[in-house]
Amino acid sequence: MMQSARHHDVQVFQLAERTGRMNASVIREILKITEQPGVLSLAGGLPSAASFPVAEVREACAQVLRDEPHAALQYAASEGHLPLREWVAADLAAQGVECSPAQVLVTHGSQQALDLVGKVLVDDGAPVAVEAPSYLGALQAFTPYGPRFLPLEGDEGGPLPEALLQAGAKGRAASDRARFAYLLPSFQNPTGVCFSQQRREALMQAAREAKLPVVEDNPYGELWLDAPPPRPLASHWPEGTVLLGSFSKTLAPGLRLGYVVAPTPVYAKLLQAKQASDLHTSGFAQRVVHAVLQSGGGTGPSFLQRHLPAVRERYRAQRDAMQAALTRHLGKGFEWARPQGGMFFWVTAPAGVDTLACLPQAVQAGVAYVPGSA
Ligand SMILES: Cc1ncc(COP(=O)(O)O)c(C=O)c1O
């Protein structure tokens, strides 16, 4: 009698070496705990579901299926839906970033763009400069490609320009130079820091001088609460910057739509990597998002100009409530900066408090957070 394969406990498959470097995202693991009913989750950057433009998405789905059902449901170009790429290029131009639609690659969330960047720019053992702390999902995306992470020294205003100089050409052998610096200039995940205009200029001057390309991840720029952030880093050195953007925080993350803008030689390789990965991003989702962005049309304010003030208002109220609660409940010795945008408070506990060890107790008491050690 044949035995079913699952009764053999011998390892039939030999896993690739790189799988040894893959690890479950600590945040996703924590999110699983927080899915228990009754737990108030302060972990993970989940957008407020009340901010999703449900009516506009419903209308856009109907419109796309009515007006161009066959094109929307057919295979499509890997670069992305041209009208959406034109929208992205125009939006970036308005922020001071020189960019043509030909440089915009539409991705399955900016998370896919991070994976493509890792695939195209990271060799085994190659140094990659990162903020400390940085976005865990990016570290997770890059890690299978074998980088050596170089933490950039910084202060409360972000990484220091001298740290970029050191990570780049200055004083290092070629093999020891960082391939790029991964930077989150606007309302960083997880610290909430927004680099000032002056810091941005100094960083990009240092990056140019050190010939250290920059990968700029900017999903939170539109979620400013007090004042818009300064121009993106890419506006200071377009040929040396790969810029990632996302519709997850401005519209809804379930749409899984983001983009990467890259100089031509890098773009060509990102495109090939994308082709191998998933051929193209859903043409249906791209058309729906484009229709939402165009909705209300005419010469008045754009959809986002009408939609984002209410989103910001909601997050401003949440930020203020969090600020008040932290002030009220945290004892002496806890420190944090009030974020001016985005979704994150980075709280430093007094010496002797192990935030990882406290987490189970916190979850039992109905609150979850991400311990900094992650
Ligand atoms: C800094 C940063 N980059 C990228 C992402 C990925 O976002 P998405 O794939 O939804 O665009 C996130 C998600 O939280 C993030 O915080």
Side-chain angles (χ1 to χ4, degrees):
M1 213 169 80
M2 274 174 60
Q3 261 188 315
S4 93
R6 64 199 161 93
H7 288 138
H8 289 284
D9 53 6
V10 289
Q11 173 77 287
V12 180
F13 292 96
Q14 183 180 343
L15 297 176
E17 230 172 88
R18 82 180 67 82
T19 63
R21 295 191 288 256
M22 292 176 181
N23 50 13
S25 152
V26 181
I27 291 186
R28 296 276 165 263
E29 294 302 306
I30 291 171
L31 286 179
K32 275 190 217 156
I33 306 174
T34 64
E35 275 161 13
Q36 294 169 16
V39 175
L40 170 65
S41 176
L42 304 175
L46 280 197
S48 172
S51 72
F52 300 159
V54 176
E56 287 82 357
V57 171
R58 187 181 291 126
E59 171 58 30
C61 287
Q63 181 189 325
V64 169
L65 289 176
R66 186 183 61 228
D67 296 347
E68 35 179 2
H70 298 107
L73 297 175
Q74 186 53 282
Y75 281 119
S78 303
E79 290 86 342
H81 183 49
L82 184 58
L84 184 63
R85 296 162 69 212
E86 287 169 345
W87 185 94
V88 169
D91 185 56
L92 289 173
Q95 297 176 52
V97 180
E98 270 173 52
C99 151
S100 90
Q103 283 171 271
V104 180
L105 176 63
V106 180
T107 56
H108 211 128
S110 52
Q111 190 65 34
Q112 182 184 39
L114 289 168
D115 178 53
L116 300 179
V117 163
K119 211 178 243 181
V120 165
L121 295 180
V122 179
D123 282 316
D124 211 358
V128 170
V130 293
E131 294 172 62
S134 188
Y135 168 51
L136 271 178
L139 303 183
Q140 195 191 11
F142 298 153
T143 294
Y145 303 107
R148 266 189 301 130
F149 289 118
L150 294 180
L152 291 165
E153 203 188 319
D155 60 17
E156 65 286 347
L160 298 174
E162 304 83 74
L164 284 199
L165 286 177
Q166 277 165 17
K170 216 175 164 190
R172 280 178 185 268
S175 62
D176 231 19
R177 288 174 197 156
R179 290 292 172 90
F180 60 87
Y182 170 65
L183 301 178
L184 302 112
S186 295
F187 319 120
Q188 206 243 35
N189 178 358
T191 62
V193 169
C194 184
F195 307 174
S196 67
Q197 170 73 23
Q198 207 180 11
R199 178 64 61 96
R200 288 174 196 235
E201 282 168 15
L203 282 169
M204 294 313 284
Q205 195 181 338
R208 266 175 190 263
E209 200 178 309
K211 296 192 174 59
L212 175 63
V214 168
V215 174
E216 175 177 20
D217 191 2
N218 185 28
Y220 299 106
E222 290 289 4
L223 293 193
W224 52 266
L225 303 178
D226 302 319
R231 286 187 289 135
L233 300 176
S235 69
H236 298 273
W237 188 25
E239 321 83 80
T241 309
V242 168
L243 173 62
L244 277 56
S246 175
F247 293 102
S248 289
K249 319 290 171 171
T250 49
L251 298 179
L255 295 162
R256 305 308 304 127
L257 268 197
Y259 55 86
V260 52
V261 173
T264 309
V266 183
Y267 185 96
K269 289 297 161 190
L270 291 171
L271 179 64
Q272 288 166 10
K274 162 97 184 151
Q275 268 167 4
S277 163
D278 65 355
L279 302 182
H280 64 83
T281 301
S282 157
F284 179 67
Q286 294 185 70
R287 282 174 172 80
V288 167
V289 163
H290 185 250
V292 169
L293 294 168
Q294 300 295 105
S295 67
T299 51
S302 71
F303 171 75
L304 284 184
Q305 282 167 342
R306 287 178 280 119
H307 175 64
L308 289 175
V311 176
R312 292 183 191 120
E313 190 54 49
R314 176 175 297 280
Y315 287 124
R316 198 175 294 124
Q318 292 187 189
R319 187 266 316 260
D320 293 346
M322 187 67 177
Q323 170 76 15
L326 291 175
T327 308
R328 190 156 9 102
H329 296 294
L330 287 187
K332 231 177 116 206
F334 284 88
E335 286 175 14
W336 67 92
R338 180 173 165 272
Q340 295 178 346
M343 298 181 168
F344 306 100
F345 274 79
W346 177 257
V347 180
T348 309
V353 175
D354 180 343
T355 57
L356 182 60
C358 292
L359 184 61
Q361 252 175 296
V363 171
Q364 224 165 23
V367 180
Y369 58 82
V370 181
S373 56

